[in-house]
Amino acid sequence: MTASTRRSAAAWAALLALVVSGLVLAPPSSGSVDTLRVAAADRASSAETHDKRRSGKKRKKKSRLSVRLTPAVVTVYGNGATEPTGVLAQVSPAVSRRPVTIQRKDDAGVWRTVEKARTNRNGQVFFGAVDVTSLGTQYFRGKVKASRGYRKVGWRTTTLYTRSNDGGCEPTTPLVDQQATGEAHCLAARLDRWYNARLMGIGQQVNISSQTEWDAPLQGIQPSIIGFDLQELDQAASVQYPYEADNIAGLIERAHQGAILVAVWHATDPFSGGTSHSPTQALEPLLDPSTAAYTKFWDDWDRKLELIERFQTDDADGDGVSDHSPCWCTPLVIRPLHEANGAFFWWGQAKVATYKKVYAELQARAARRGVHNLVWASAGNRNTSTTTNPGKYVPPRVDLGGLDTYDPEGPNDDPRDYLNLEGYDAIASKVPRMALTESGPHGSKDGSWNPAVITRTVRKQRLRPLWSMLWYDDSGYAEAGPKQITSVDGGMSWYRSCPNALCSVRR
């Protein structure tokens, strides 16, 4: 091979290497070089297409929608009373301002739009104007439009079932009072539906001894549970110009609109005549008719039963005539002689067997008087260094158990919001239903407490309390301070996060 030939071959080899590397395009004089050129062009075309896709619009993200009723089964009452419910559309991820449409199927089978709204910051739209005054299954559905970088979600449906109170209320566990009124049975059945739906009611205690401001803690809210004290109600009846009739009428009206009423009894000390916070006493004299304490205590209970009976007969003014037709006969959850495992009250930390006998006699006297509108509850205090196991004080015949638990907010206490549930399981293991009968901050001076800790805690621990009751703002003792929903910092945010005042405790 001559020198010039060797130089020509070397040049072609160098050129071929450049073509393979994609830096130089070979001239169209060689078939093998043409093939390399086409391959390089294909790679360039693929890269260009990829670049265009990346520089274009982003692919919309998926989202999910659930549509449910809170709750999905309600009772329809012939007297016009309601068990409120509503349609809750929940969009996930929770992004505000997503457009949601909710429709209801009319009697002709046509879907009609009943709500068009945008999600709140929790990703929710709630339609609360559901008619629950007549029997008949109702069908609802919802959908979400594409927006804010998310795809649309098609129709999701849910069904509302209505039951008549005329024989249609069947609690999961029968009431301990075999002669309980139909209204009491419906109340228990309603609570059982909440349990099955994993709903927890928001409760607010009121000061029923106040004449014109007893409902001040309820201003701006409609809790599903309203608590009051029989002792305070009796105080309203014992002044020179009694006003308990107006307060009873107000409670009955709230119940007619859908609230469940819960009565506690801070009983007067029959031994000393002092308040419920008098020093502890042995309870054996309350079972001995020969003692003065026996007479005072049971006379006091008879007076409370007279007040309770006015709810049963819809006779707020006590004149013996029902105030409405049909009767607005109102049931109550009652928890007498509560927190017996602590030494806070004169009946506290008594002999367990004696305490249970006194509780049973409370029930027997109510039955003998013909008072049967009661769902009987037993509430203990959380298990602390100053209390005993609350489970051992649960009477053998109760419909519901409860735990009273507060978060100390004194200067030397942990500033973090906390829900202590020690003792919950000890009570829950002995009762068919369970509630947080009192909860909230204790000793807060500025109301810096967020009730959202309640729902977070019960969800984390997989518990299903039927409600959580916050107390009203109080004063005059060391642990007093802001306690009610509208006074603590996170109260209204918590309330608004639970449509229909029913919080979901699903995880």
Side-chain angles (χ1 to χ4, degrees):
M1 180 181 294
T2 65
S4 61
T5 303
R6 287 196 297 269
R7 285 195 298 270
S8 177
W12 277 105
L15 180 60
L16 181 60
L18 289 174
V19 171
V20 172
S21 66
L23 298 177
V24 178
L25 290 178
S29 59
S30 170
S32 61
V33 173
D34 286 348
T35 302
L36 293 172
R37 183 188 65 182
V38 172
D42 286 345
R43 286 196 298 272
S45 176
S46 176
E48 183 181 359
T49 303
H50 180 68
D51 290 340
K52 286 182 178 179
R53 185 171 62 245
R54 292 182 61 182
S55 63
K57 292 184 179 179
K58 292 182 179 179
R59 182 176 299 177
K60 290 185 177 180
K61 295 174 283 188
K62 291 182 179 180
S63 55
R64 299 185 304 276
L65 171 67
S66 66
V67 179
R68 59 186 177 88
L69 287 132
T70 58
V73 182
V74 297
T75 299
V76 176
Y77 297 88
N79 62 8
T82 61
E83 286 184 11
T85 189
V87 182
L88 177 64
Q90 176 71 60
V91 184
S92 301
V95 178
S96 62
R97 309 277 314 155
R98 296 287 309 277
V100 176
T101 299
I102 296 176
Q103 294 186 335
R104 176 186 177 276
K105 184 184 287 187
D106 66 17
D107 294 339
V110 178
W111 288 100
R112 305 287 185 184
T113 297
V114 295
E115 184 80 353
K116 280 188 175 182
R118 292 183 179 270
T119 56
N120 59 20
R121 64 180 182 180
N122 298 315
Q124 298 174 335
V125 166
F126 181 66
F127 173 67
V130 175
D131 180 10
V132 291
T133 59
S134 59
L135 291 171
T137 305
Q138 298 185 51
Y139 302 94
F140 297 88
R141 68 181 186 179
K143 70 175 180 179
V144 186
K145 290 184 179 179
S147 66
R148 302 179 69 83
Y150 289 90
R151 302 179 194 174
K152 68 179 181 180
V153 183
W155 294 109
R156 302 289 185 269
T157 60
T158 187
T159 306
L160 173 64
Y161 301 95
T162 54
R163 301 285 186 267
S164 171
N165 69 308
D166 185 13
C169 295
E170 298 181 0
T172 302
T173 302
L175 297 178
V176 295
D177 181 0
Q178 296 182 359
Q179 296 178 281
T181 63
E183 292 79 13
H185 282 288
C186 287
L187 189 158
R190 184 180 180 189
L191 292 174
D192 291 341
R193 293 166 188 162
W194 288 4
Y195 179 85
N196 292 332
R198 291 179 171 83
L199 296 173
M200 178 185 73
I202 288 180
Q204 176 61 64
Q205 186 82 9
V206 299
N207 182 359
I208 201 63
S209 65
S210 175
Q211 181 172 7
T212 58
E213 299 181 356
W214 70 267
D215 60 349
L218 307 178
Q219 298 306 307
I221 60 174
Q222 291 183 300
S224 50
I225 305 287
I226 296 176
F228 70 98
D229 192 334
L230 288 172
Q231 193 65 26
E232 291 176 352
L233 185 59
D234 201 358
Q235 291 171 11
S238 303
V239 295
Q240 183 176 2
Y241 300 103
Y243 49 85
E244 90 290 349
D246 290 338
N247 293 6
I248 292 175
L251 287 172
I252 290 176
E253 183 175 3
R254 293 274 183 168
H256 195 73
Q257 295 169 354
I260 291 176
L261 303 183
V262 179
V264 67
W265 181 31
H266 286 86
T268 299
D269 180 3
F271 299 93
S272 67
T275 69
S276 59
H277 289 281
S278 297
T280 58
Q281 300 281 351
L283 301 188
E284 283 76 8
L286 302 185
L287 300 173
D288 183 356
S290 67
T291 66
Y294 175 97
T295 301
K296 290 180 180 178
F297 179 76
W298 294 112
D299 284 352
D300 192 7
W301 177 235
D302 286 341
R303 183 173 176 82
K304 302 305 184 288
L305 287 174
E306 180 182 346
L307 293 171
I308 294 171
E309 194 172 17
R310 287 159 71 171
F311 289 87
Q312 176 174 296
T313 59
D314 186 28
D315 181 16
D317 53 13
D319 63 357
V321 180
S322 176
D323 298 332
H324 304 89
S325 181
C327 176
W328 290 15
C329 303
T330 303
L332 306 175
V333 177
I334 186 167
R335 54 186 192 104
L337 304 183
H338 62 304
E339 299 182 11
N341 62 311
F344 322 113
F345 306 118
W346 59 262
W347 60 84
Q349 296 185 348
K351 290 183 179 179
V352 174
T354 305
Y355 172 83
K356 292 182 178 180
K357 289 179 181 179
V358 172
Y359 191 99
E361 183 60 20
L362 292 171
Q363 294 173 306
R365 284 186 172 247
R368 288 198 293 270
R369 187 184 177 91
V371 175
H372 296 289
N373 62 327
L374 298 175
V375 173
W376 290 89
S378 173
N381 191 272
R382 69 180 176 89
N383 196 6
T384 68
S385 59
T386 61
T387 62
T388 61
N389 176 7
K392 67 181 183 180
Y393 280 95
V394 175
R397 298 181 66 251
V398 290
D399 302 305
L400 188 147
L403 183 72
D404 295 355
T405 175
Y406 287 91
D407 182 7
E409 294 287 296
N412 299 321
D413 295 316
D414 190 333
R416 293 173 297 181
D417 297 339
Y418 184 60
L419 182 70
N420 189 327
L421 295 179
E422 291 182 65
Y424 185 100
D425 291 340
I427 300 172
S429 64
K430 297 185 176 183
V431 296
R433 305 169 183 88
M434 190 67 184
L436 296 175
T437 38
E438 294 180 33
S439 57
H442 215 214
S444 173
K445 302 307 177 186
D446 58 3
S448 56
W449 199 81
N450 191 345
V453 70
I454 299 172
T455 42
R456 286 200 306 268
T457 303
V458 298
R459 286 171 183 165
K460 183 178 180 179
Q461 299 190 22
R462 298 180 182 273
L463 303 176
R464 286 194 264 176
L466 294 169
W467 71 80
S468 181
M469 178 89 73
L470 272 67
W471 210 253
Y472 57 82
D473 296 347
D474 49 15
S475 60
Y477 64 105
E479 293 81 11
K483 288 182 170 67
Q484 65 198 37
I485 295 169
T486 55
S487 298
V488 295
D489 285 350
M492 289 305 296
S493 176
W494 177 59
Y495 174 80
R496 287 190 291 266
S497 72
C498 298
N500 209 29
L502 293 170
C503 302
S504 173
V505 295
R506 298 173 184 268
R507 288 197 66 180

